[in-house]
Amino acid sequence: MCRWMAYTGSPLQLETVIFKARHSLIDQSLHSRLGATTTNGDGFGLGWYGADPDELPYRYRSIHPAWNDRNLREAARAIRAPLFVAHIRAATDTPAQETNCHPFRHGRWLFVHNGLIRGYPLLRRELMMQIAPRYFASLEGSTDSEVMFLLALSLGLESDPVPALQRMVAVVEDVGHRHGIEHPLNMTVCALDGQRLIAVRYSSEANSRSLFHSTDVRHLKQLYPDEPRIAALDDDAYMLLSEPLVELPGAWEDVPEATAIVAGGGRVQAYPFVPDRS
């Protein structure tokens, strides 16, 4: 499948987590420990916001393997951002091309996904027909992930993100069930709007892909006073990621199954996640 990570807090140099950590995203692209595939080499992408949360997000995507892209190293060294997401891709059912690389973008929103819609070639047409016309023109690639994003936008992501994602999941599952697919959806997703990140861990079979979050930074600073990577973080820093970056006891916790998280501005809130068929 794929691996991703997202961060909110004081501006952080992307190189710190993409390259320098022991089990960085680059290491995960070659040696994933918890993913469905060990290698994630079908492209990568970065999305980040500047100091002004109202400006459009920046994005860099490539079909090159992340470990073999010199420009990625230069970009990660140069970019410091208070809110960003990074993704490495292992393709399923769709080709390795730039328009299929995450993050996907619409206006101020970015979106990444790890997992799959099972039987997507069979479900694709019906799902695409439920994308609102105002968002359909944004469709560039052929992935199930991009269709999920545009469906969520069509169902209210920009105004009420978690309920919109709950409605999107219900649509995907209902279409899948009509076509005889028992467990249509497996996902960890993250959507960002310039001020916060919204993430969900959910699957139809209640066995989702791995997802972790960082624990309280103030507590970690007390536990590891000599760890420079922790000392450099502000007290409000928060990270979500497919696999822990370093093996520090107490630094990471599993995001529970069927959970939505909203984080930004020093606040983190978790909610039960249930598909909305109302």
Side-chain angles (χ1 to χ4, degrees), residues 130-244:
Q130 298 196 47
I131 298 172
R134 63 176 293 199
Y135 298 112
F136 196 88
S138 297
L139 184 67
E140 295 182 328
S142 56
T143 65
D144 53 356
S145 305
E146 188 177 16
V147 167
M148 289 166 60
F149 177 39
L150 297 178
L151 275 173
L153 285 165
S154 302
L155 295 167
L157 182 70
E158 293 170 293
S159 58
D160 207 354
V162 173
L165 291 167
Q166 291 174 314
R167 290 189 286 269
M168 179 272 289
V169 166
V171 168
V172 172
E173 288 188 328
D174 290 348
V175 171
H177 291 155
R178 286 199 295 272
H179 287 269
I181 298 171
E182 183 179 7
H183 301 303
L185 182 61
N186 193 306
M187 72 177 202
T188 67
V189 299
C190 187
L192 304 87
D193 68 354
Q195 298 180 324
R196 58 189 168 163
L197 59 84
I198 301 98
V200 177
R201 184 179 185 222
Y202 174 84
S203 62
S204 304
E205 66 272 30
N207 185 24
S208 302
R209 303 292 187 249
S210 60
L211 188 64
F212 297 84
H213 68 90
S214 58
T215 55
D216 187 273
V217 173
R218 286 164 289 191
H219 175 62
L220 291 176
K221 287 179 179 179
Q222 294 172 354
L223 286 175
Y224 303 101
D226 299 321
E227 173 55 62
R229 286 166 294 193
I230 292 176
L233 297 174
D234 74 340
D235 289 346
D236 293 333
Y238 184 75
M239 190 175 296
L240 282 159
L241 64 181
S242 298
E243 299 186 20

